[in-house]
Amino acid sequence: MFQLECADATLAKGTIVNVKLATKETSKNMSKVKAEVAAPIISAKGDTLIAAETPVIVQKENCNKARGMGREGSMTLRVISTTAVDGQMVNLDGKLDLVGQNRRGGAIACGVVFGIIFCPIGFLGFCHKGTQATAKRGTIIPSTVVNDMNISAK
C-alpha cells in the first residue's frame, strides 16, 4: 500500500488571498454571502496550501437600503475565514465598502418643481430613491492571512 507523504509548509501572515464573490450582492437585504478562493495559494516548494474554489466565509455588515429623498444604499463585505487543504481554519482579513448612487439633487428638484405645478401630488418626487450598493458576481476582495500557520500540504 502506498502512503502519500505530507510535508509541512508555512502559510505566512500577510499572504494575499483573493476572494471572489459567487453571487451578486446588494444592500437591499442581509442575505448570506457566497464566496470562494479565486486562485490557489501555493508554497515555495510548489505544494497547494489553499485550493482554488474553496468556500470562504464573508459577512455582510452595515447594510443600509436605498431610501427616499435620493439617499443611496451602502454595505460592507468583510472576509472572515477559509479552509486549508489539511482542514485547518485560516483566518483572513479583508473588506470591501460599497455605496450606491446618491440621487438627492434629482429627488429634491422633482419634488419642488412638480410640487409647485401639481400641488400636492408633485411632492411625491421626494420619494425618489437612490440606488442600492451592489457587488457583481466575480468581484474580487483582496484579503490577507491573519497569522502564521503550519499546513500539511498535499
Side-chain angles (χ1 to χ4, degrees):
M1 183 182 275
F2 294 101
Q3 283 189 331
L4 291 174
E5 287 190 31
C6 294
D8 276 354
T10 300
L11 180 59
K13 175 182 179 177
T15 300
I16 295 173
V17 178
N18 286 321
V19 174
K20 178 174 64 171
L21 295 179
T23 56
K24 176 182 172 181
E25 298 299 329
T26 69
S27 59
K28 195 178 247 184
N29 56 35
M30 288 294 289
S31 61
K32 186 175 180 181
V33 179
K34 293 183 181 177
E36 58 190 27
V37 175
I41 305 303
I42 310 292
S43 72
K45 295 179 184 176
D47 298 320
T48 300
L49 302 177
I50 302 174
E53 300 180 6
T54 301
V56 177
I57 297 173
V58 176
Q59 200 169 41
K60 198 184 279 191
E61 301 175 342
N62 304 326
C63 199
N64 296 308
K65 290 189 219 181
R67 299 177 306 246
M69 289 288 292
R71 290 178 286 191
E72 71 278 359
S74 63
M75 69 177 169
T76 299
L77 299 176
R78 183 172 303 282
V79 180
I80 306 296
S81 66
T82 190
T83 307
V85 293
D86 65 355
Q88 290 186 69
M89 185 172 78
V90 178
N91 292 322
L92 300 172
D93 183 34
K95 77 174 188 170
L96 180 63
D97 291 315
L98 298 160
V99 178
Q101 186 177 4
N102 181 325
R103 294 183 176 169
R104 218 172 263 167
I108 292 171
C110 283
V112 170
V113 171
F114 290 118
I116 293 169
I117 297 170
F118 300 110
C119 189
I121 298 170
F123 288 108
L124 291 175
F126 289 124
C127 295
H128 187 68
K129 293 182 179 183
T131 62
Q132 301 295 341
T134 304
K136 294 179 182 175
R137 181 178 187 255
T139 298
I140 300 293
I141 305 172
S143 306
T144 57
V145 175
V146 173
N147 46 3
D148 290 334
M149 298 183 69
N150 286 323
I151 307 290
S152 296
K154 294 183 179 182

mmCIF file of all heavy atoms in Angstrom, residues 17-21 33 35-37 55-61 76-82 90-96 139-146:
data_model
loop_
_atom_site.group_PDB
_atom_site.id
_atom_site.type_symbol
_atom_site.label_atom_id
_atom_site.label_comp_id
_atom_site.label_asym_id
_atom_site.label_seq_id
_atom_site.Cartn_x
_atom_site.Cartn_y
_atom_site.Cartn_z
ATOM 1 N N VAL A 17 -4.746 36.534 -0.211
ATOM 2 C CA VAL A 17 -5.718 35.553 -0.700
ATOM 3 C C VAL A 17 -6.836 36.352 -1.366
ATOM 4 O O VAL A 17 -7.530 37.118 -0.701
ATOM 5 C CB VAL A 17 -6.300 34.699 0.457
ATOM 6 C CG1 VAL A 17 -7.344 33.728 -0.061
ATOM 7 C CG2 VAL A 17 -5.190 33.972 1.198
ATOM 8 N N ASN A 18 -6.971 36.192 -2.680
ATOM 9 C CA ASN A 18 -8.041 36.888 -3.386
ATOM 10 C C ASN A 18 -9.325 36.084 -3.274
ATOM 11 O O ASN A 18 -9.359 34.908 -3.608
ATOM 12 C CB ASN A 18 -7.682 37.112 -4.853
ATOM 13 C CG ASN A 18 -6.659 38.211 -5.012
ATOM 14 O OD1 ASN A 18 -6.706 39.213 -4.318
ATOM 15 N ND2 ASN A 18 -5.727 38.037 -5.922
ATOM 16 N N VAL A 19 -10.376 36.742 -2.797
ATOM 17 C CA VAL A 19 -11.675 36.104 -2.595
ATOM 18 C C VAL A 19 -12.625 36.606 -3.676
ATOM 19 O O VAL A 19 -12.718 37.813 -3.916
ATOM 20 C CB VAL A 19 -12.220 36.442 -1.184
ATOM 21 C CG1 VAL A 19 -13.619 35.910 -0.992
ATOM 22 C CG2 VAL A 19 -11.274 35.893 -0.121
ATOM 23 N N LYS A 20 -13.316 35.674 -4.323
ATOM 24 C CA LYS A 20 -14.225 36.014 -5.422
ATOM 25 C C LYS A 20 -15.665 35.762 -4.993
ATOM 26 O O LYS A 20 -15.985 34.694 -4.468
ATOM 27 C CB LYS A 20 -13.877 35.146 -6.642
ATOM 28 C CG LYS A 20 -14.774 35.379 -7.835
ATOM 29 C CD LYS A 20 -14.289 34.616 -9.058
ATOM 30 C CE LYS A 20 -14.349 33.137 -8.842
ATOM 31 N NZ LYS A 20 -14.092 32.365 -10.060
ATOM 32 N N LEU A 21 -16.544 36.743 -5.224
ATOM 33 C CA LEU A 21 -17.961 36.575 -4.910
ATOM 34 C C LEU A 21 -18.594 35.620 -5.916
ATOM 35 O O LEU A 21 -18.421 35.773 -7.119
ATOM 36 C CB LEU A 21 -18.696 37.916 -4.943
ATOM 37 C CG LEU A 21 -18.285 38.934 -3.884
ATOM 38 C CD1 LEU A 21 -19.083 40.215 -4.060
ATOM 39 C CD2 LEU A 21 -18.479 38.380 -2.491
ATOM 40 N N VAL A 33 -23.749 35.572 2.159
ATOM 41 C CA VAL A 33 -22.832 35.845 1.050
ATOM 42 C C VAL A 33 -22.117 34.547 0.665
ATOM 43 O O VAL A 33 -21.581 33.850 1.520
ATOM 44 C CB VAL A 33 -21.785 36.912 1.457
ATOM 45 C CG1 VAL A 33 -20.825 37.183 0.323
ATOM 46 C CG2 VAL A 33 -22.478 38.185 1.905
ATOM 47 N N ALA A 35 -18.991 33.040 -1.377
ATOM 48 C CA ALA A 35 -17.712 33.445 -1.944
ATOM 49 C C ALA A 35 -16.749 32.265 -1.921
ATOM 50 O O ALA A 35 -16.966 31.282 -1.212
ATOM 51 C CB ALA A 35 -17.138 34.613 -1.164
ATOM 52 N N GLU A 36 -15.681 32.381 -2.715
ATOM 53 C CA GLU A 36 -14.680 31.304 -2.806
ATOM 54 C C GLU A 36 -13.303 31.895 -3.065
ATOM 55 O O GLU A 36 -13.178 33.057 -3.465
ATOM 56 C CB GLU A 36 -15.066 30.344 -3.924
ATOM 57 C CG GLU A 36 -15.183 31.004 -5.270
ATOM 58 C CD GLU A 36 -15.805 30.118 -6.340
ATOM 59 O OE1 GLU A 36 -16.586 29.219 -6.002
ATOM 60 O OE2 GLU A 36 -15.494 30.351 -7.515
ATOM 61 N N VAL A 37 -12.275 31.079 -2.833
ATOM 62 C CA VAL A 37 -10.902 31.492 -3.106
ATOM 63 C C VAL A 37 -10.742 31.557 -4.628
ATOM 64 O O VAL A 37 -11.092 30.619 -5.340
ATOM 65 C CB VAL A 37 -9.890 30.499 -2.486
ATOM 66 C CG1 VAL A 37 -8.465 30.860 -2.871
ATOM 67 C CG2 VAL A 37 -10.043 30.464 -0.974
ATOM 68 N N PRO A 55 -14.618 27.313 -0.352
ATOM 69 C CA PRO A 55 -15.571 28.288 0.178
ATOM 70 C C PRO A 55 -14.929 29.217 1.210
ATOM 71 O O PRO A 55 -14.046 28.818 1.965
ATOM 72 C CB PRO A 55 -16.638 27.412 0.843
ATOM 73 C CG PRO A 55 -16.523 26.089 0.173
ATOM 74 C CD PRO A 55 -15.068 25.928 -0.168
ATOM 75 N N VAL A 56 -15.390 30.461 1.209
ATOM 76 C CA VAL A 56 -14.894 31.482 2.125
ATOM 77 C C VAL A 56 -16.087 32.068 2.884
ATOM 78 O O VAL A 56 -17.142 32.295 2.304
ATOM 79 C CB VAL A 56 -14.173 32.616 1.356
ATOM 80 C CG1 VAL A 56 -13.712 33.719 2.298
ATOM 81 C CG2 VAL A 56 -12.997 32.068 0.564
ATOM 82 N N ILE A 57 -15.896 32.286 4.179
ATOM 83 C CA ILE A 57 -16.948 32.919 4.978
ATOM 84 C C ILE A 57 -16.785 34.428 4.852
ATOM 85 O O ILE A 57 -15.733 34.983 5.182
ATOM 86 C CB ILE A 57 -16.871 32.485 6.454
ATOM 87 C CG1 ILE A 57 -17.118 30.984 6.567
ATOM 88 C CG2 ILE A 57 -17.876 33.273 7.294
ATOM 89 C CD1 ILE A 57 -16.895 30.417 7.945
ATOM 90 N N VAL A 58 -17.837 35.073 4.330
ATOM 91 C CA VAL A 58 -17.866 36.527 4.171
ATOM 92 C C VAL A 58 -19.120 37.029 4.862
ATOM 93 O O VAL A 58 -20.192 36.462 4.702
ATOM 94 C CB VAL A 58 -17.876 36.932 2.673
ATOM 95 C CG1 VAL A 58 -17.997 38.435 2.525
ATOM 96 C CG2 VAL A 58 -16.629 36.425 1.967
ATOM 97 N N GLN A 59 -18.972 38.093 5.630
ATOM 98 C CA GLN A 59 -20.088 38.647 6.395
ATOM 99 C C GLN A 59 -20.496 40.002 5.810
ATOM 100 O O GLN A 59 -19.644 40.831 5.497
ATOM 101 C CB GLN A 59 -19.622 38.822 7.841
ATOM 102 C CG GLN A 59 -20.699 38.936 8.843
ATOM 103 C CD GLN A 59 -20.090 38.841 10.249
ATOM 104 O OE1 GLN A 59 -19.040 39.405 10.519
ATOM 105 N NE2 GLN A 59 -20.762 38.138 11.125
ATOM 106 N N LYS A 60 -21.807 40.201 5.675
ATOM 107 C CA LYS A 60 -22.344 41.484 5.207
ATOM 108 C C LYS A 60 -22.637 42.330 6.440
ATOM 109 O O LYS A 60 -23.343 41.890 7.335
ATOM 110 C CB LYS A 60 -23.619 41.230 4.405
ATOM 111 C CG LYS A 60 -24.032 42.377 3.520
ATOM 112 C CD LYS A 60 -25.346 42.112 2.818
ATOM 113 C CE LYS A 60 -25.216 41.260 1.606
ATOM 114 N NZ LYS A 60 -26.477 41.247 0.818
ATOM 115 N N GLU A 61 -22.060 43.542 6.488
ATOM 116 C CA GLU A 61 -22.217 44.421 7.645
ATOM 117 C C GLU A 61 -22.692 45.801 7.219
ATOM 118 O O GLU A 61 -22.552 46.176 6.053
ATOM 119 C CB GLU A 61 -20.874 44.595 8.367
ATOM 120 C CG GLU A 61 -20.258 43.327 8.875
ATOM 121 C CD GLU A 61 -18.882 43.549 9.475
ATOM 122 O OE1 GLU A 61 -18.264 44.600 9.204
ATOM 123 O OE2 GLU A 61 -18.429 42.675 10.214
ATOM 124 N N THR A 76 -20.934 46.835 3.758
ATOM 125 C CA THR A 76 -19.550 46.400 3.871
ATOM 126 C C THR A 76 -19.532 44.884 3.803
ATOM 127 O O THR A 76 -20.315 44.221 4.481
ATOM 128 C CB THR A 76 -18.933 46.864 5.208
ATOM 129 O OG1 THR A 76 -18.951 48.289 5.251
ATOM 130 C CG2 THR A 76 -17.509 46.368 5.371
ATOM 131 N N LEU A 77 -18.643 44.334 2.972
ATOM 132 C CA LEU A 77 -18.429 42.884 2.918
ATOM 133 C C LEU A 77 -17.100 42.607 3.604
ATOM 134 O O LEU A 77 -16.060 43.092 3.167
ATOM 135 C CB LEU A 77 -18.409 42.389 1.465
ATOM 136 C CG LEU A 77 -19.691 42.616 0.674
ATOM 137 C CD1 LEU A 77 -19.504 42.172 -0.776
ATOM 138 C CD2 LEU A 77 -20.856 41.888 1.306
ATOM 139 N N ARG A 78 -17.134 41.840 4.714
ATOM 140 C CA ARG A 78 -15.929 41.538 5.486
ATOM 141 C C ARG A 78 -15.577 40.066 5.349
ATOM 142 O O ARG A 78 -16.390 39.190 5.630
ATOM 143 C CB ARG A 78 -16.126 41.890 6.957
ATOM 144 C CG ARG A 78 -14.873 41.669 7.796
ATOM 145 C CD ARG A 78 -15.006 42.194 9.200
ATOM 146 N NE ARG A 78 -15.333 43.605 9.275
ATOM 147 C CZ ARG A 78 -14.455 44.599 9.098
ATOM 148 N NH1 ARG A 78 -13.211 44.333 8.822
ATOM 149 N NH2 ARG A 78 -14.839 45.851 9.201
ATOM 150 N N VAL A 79 -14.332 39.788 4.929
ATOM 151 C CA VAL A 79 -13.850 38.419 4.766
ATOM 152 C C VAL A 79 -13.400 37.902 6.132
ATOM 153 O O VAL A 79 -12.619 38.560 6.820
ATOM 154 C CB VAL A 79 -12.683 38.364 3.754
ATOM 155 C CG1 VAL A 79 -12.173 36.952 3.591
ATOM 156 C CG2 VAL A 79 -13.119 38.932 2.408
ATOM 157 N N ILE A 80 -13.903 36.701 6.513
ATOM 158 C CA ILE A 80 -13.631 36.154 7.843
ATOM 159 C C ILE A 80 -12.609 35.013 7.789
ATOM 160 O O ILE A 80 -11.572 35.073 8.437
ATOM 161 C CB ILE A 80 -14.928 35.643 8.512
ATOM 162 C CG1 ILE A 80 -16.001 36.733 8.538
ATOM 163 C CG2 ILE A 80 -14.645 35.092 9.899
ATOM 164 C CD1 ILE A 80 -15.670 37.939 9.357
ATOM 165 N N SER A 81 -12.908 33.941 7.024
ATOM 166 C CA SER A 81 -12.015 32.779 7.024
ATOM 167 C C SER A 81 -12.276 31.855 5.845
ATOM 168 O O SER A 81 -13.288 31.976 5.151
ATOM 169 C CB SER A 81 -12.171 31.987 8.323
ATOM 170 O OG SER A 81 -13.464 31.421 8.384
ATOM 171 N N THR A 82 -11.349 30.911 5.654
ATOM 172 C CA THR A 82 -11.491 29.831 4.683
ATOM 173 C C THR A 82 -10.829 28.592 5.289
ATOM 174 O O THR A 82 -10.460 28.594 6.461
ATOM 175 C CB THR A 82 -10.878 30.207 3.316
ATOM 176 O OG1 THR A 82 -11.245 29.222 2.351
ATOM 177 C CG2 THR A 82 -9.364 30.326 3.376
ATOM 178 N N VAL A 90 -8.385 28.950 8.308
ATOM 179 C CA VAL A 90 -7.427 30.025 8.074
ATOM 180 C C VAL A 90 -8.165 31.352 8.228
ATOM 181 O O VAL A 90 -9.070 31.658 7.450
ATOM 182 C CB VAL A 90 -6.811 29.922 6.652
ATOM 183 C CG1 VAL A 90 -5.844 31.077 6.411
ATOM 184 C CG2 VAL A 90 -6.135 28.577 6.450
ATOM 185 N N ASN A 91 -7.799 32.133 9.258
ATOM 186 C CA ASN A 91 -8.425 33.436 9.475
ATOM 187 C C ASN A 91 -7.894 34.438 8.461
ATOM 188 O O ASN A 91 -6.686 34.523 8.227
ATOM 189 C CB ASN A 91 -8.158 33.934 10.889
ATOM 190 C CG ASN A 91 -8.869 33.100 11.924
ATOM 191 O OD1 ASN A 91 -9.997 32.668 11.714
ATOM 192 N ND2 ASN A 91 -8.202 32.859 13.041
ATOM 193 N N LEU A 92 -8.815 35.187 7.868
ATOM 194 C CA LEU A 92 -8.460 36.178 6.854
ATOM 195 C C LEU A 92 -8.943 37.556 7.274
ATOM 196 O O LEU A 92 -9.873 37.684 8.077
ATOM 197 C CB LEU A 92 -9.103 35.808 5.511
ATOM 198 C CG LEU A 92 -8.717 34.461 4.914
ATOM 199 C CD1 LEU A 92 -9.582 34.151 3.701
ATOM 200 C CD2 LEU A 92 -7.247 34.442 4.536
ATOM 201 N N ASP A 93 -8.317 38.578 6.727
ATOM 202 C CA ASP A 93 -8.726 39.953 6.984
ATOM 203 C C ASP A 93 -8.820 40.683 5.655
ATOM 204 O O ASP A 93 -7.841 40.813 4.933
ATOM 205 C CB ASP A 93 -7.712 40.647 7.890
ATOM 206 C CG ASP A 93 -8.126 42.069 8.238
ATOM 207 O OD1 ASP A 93 -9.338 42.313 8.368
ATOM 208 O OD2 ASP A 93 -7.232 42.927 8.366
ATOM 209 N N GLY A 94 -10.019 41.116 5.328
ATOM 210 C CA GLY A 94 -10.234 41.883 4.110
ATOM 211 C C GLY A 94 -11.629 42.457 4.136
ATOM 212 O O GLY A 94 -12.524 41.912 4.779
ATOM 213 N N LYS A 95 -11.824 43.581 3.469
ATOM 214 C CA LYS A 95 -13.170 44.135 3.423
ATOM 215 C C LYS A 95 -13.346 44.966 2.167
ATOM 216 O O LYS A 95 -12.385 45.445 1.557
ATOM 217 C CB LYS A 95 -13.497 44.945 4.670
ATOM 218 C CG LYS A 95 -12.898 46.311 4.743
ATOM 219 C CD LYS A 95 -13.420 47.051 5.967
ATOM 220 C CE LYS A 95 -12.957 48.494 5.912
ATOM 221 N NZ LYS A 95 -13.591 49.315 6.903
ATOM 222 N N LEU A 96 -14.603 45.105 1.794
ATOM 223 C CA LEU A 96 -14.978 45.903 0.633
ATOM 224 C C LEU A 96 -16.153 46.777 1.049
ATOM 225 O O LEU A 96 -17.198 46.264 1.452
ATOM 226 C CB LEU A 96 -15.366 44.980 -0.526
ATOM 227 C CG LEU A 96 -15.791 45.619 -1.835
ATOM 228 C CD1 LEU A 96 -14.639 46.428 -2.435
ATOM 229 C CD2 LEU A 96 -16.229 44.553 -2.820
ATOM 230 N N THR A 139 -16.730 39.698 -8.329
ATOM 231 C CA THR A 139 -15.965 40.784 -7.703
ATOM 232 C C THR A 139 -14.890 40.186 -6.799
ATOM 233 O O THR A 139 -15.150 39.259 -6.045
ATOM 234 C CB THR A 139 -16.895 41.700 -6.870
ATOM 235 O OG1 THR A 139 -17.856 42.296 -7.746
ATOM 236 C CG2 THR A 139 -16.117 42.789 -6.154
ATOM 237 N N ILE A 140 -13.683 40.711 -6.896
ATOM 238 C CA ILE A 140 -12.558 40.218 -6.094
ATOM 239 C C ILE A 140 -12.380 41.104 -4.856
ATOM 240 O O ILE A 140 -12.370 42.331 -4.956
ATOM 241 C CB ILE A 140 -11.247 40.222 -6.914
ATOM 242 C CG1 ILE A 140 -11.366 39.323 -8.140
ATOM 243 C CG2 ILE A 140 -10.053 39.822 -6.050
ATOM 244 C CD1 ILE A 140 -11.488 37.851 -7.840
ATOM 245 N N ILE A 141 -12.254 40.448 -3.693
ATOM 246 C CA ILE A 141 -11.965 41.156 -2.443
ATOM 247 C C ILE A 141 -10.575 40.710 -1.990
ATOM 248 O O ILE A 141 -10.386 39.562 -1.590
ATOM 249 C CB ILE A 141 -12.990 40.816 -1.338
ATOM 250 C CG1 ILE A 141 -14.409 41.083 -1.817
ATOM 251 C CG2 ILE A 141 -12.678 41.605 -0.068
ATOM 252 C CD1 ILE A 141 -15.472 40.602 -0.851
ATOM 253 N N PRO A 142 -9.566 41.587 -2.073
ATOM 254 C CA PRO A 142 -8.226 41.213 -1.603
ATOM 255 C C PRO A 142 -8.234 41.042 -0.085
ATOM 256 O O PRO A 142 -8.773 41.882 0.631
ATOM 257 C CB PRO A 142 -7.346 42.390 -2.012
ATOM 258 C CG PRO A 142 -8.198 43.297 -2.831
ATOM 259 C CD PRO A 142 -9.618 42.933 -2.599
ATOM 260 N N SER A 143 -7.662 39.944 0.382
ATOM 261 C CA SER A 143 -7.616 39.643 1.815
ATOM 262 C C SER A 143 -6.221 39.155 2.169
ATOM 263 O O SER A 143 -5.464 38.737 1.304
ATOM 264 C CB SER A 143 -8.633 38.554 2.148
ATOM 265 O OG SER A 143 -9.905 38.934 1.691
ATOM 266 N N THR A 144 -5.912 39.178 3.463
ATOM 267 C CA THR A 144 -4.617 38.679 3.915
ATOM 268 C C THR A 144 -4.801 37.671 5.041
ATOM 269 O O THR A 144 -5.779 37.727 5.783
ATOM 270 C CB THR A 144 -3.714 39.829 4.425
ATOM 271 O OG1 THR A 144 -4.399 40.524 5.461
ATOM 272 C CG2 THR A 144 -3.348 40.790 3.313
ATOM 273 N N VAL A 145 -3.832 36.760 5.155
ATOM 274 C CA VAL A 145 -3.827 35.765 6.229
ATOM 275 C C VAL A 145 -3.461 36.500 7.524
ATOM 276 O O VAL A 145 -2.516 37.293 7.553
ATOM 277 C CB VAL A 145 -2.821 34.632 5.923
ATOM 278 C CG1 VAL A 145 -2.709 33.665 7.081
ATOM 279 C CG2 VAL A 145 -3.231 33.900 4.643
ATOM 280 N N VAL A 146 -4.202 36.226 8.598
ATOM 281 C CA VAL A 146 -4.044 36.951 9.857
ATOM 282 C C VAL A 146 -2.815 36.502 10.660
ATOM 283 O O VAL A 146 -2.146 37.321 11.270
ATOM 284 C CB VAL A 146 -5.321 36.824 10.717
ATOM 285 C CG1 VAL A 146 -5.147 37.422 12.090
ATOM 286 C CG2 VAL A 146 -6.495 37.484 10.008
#
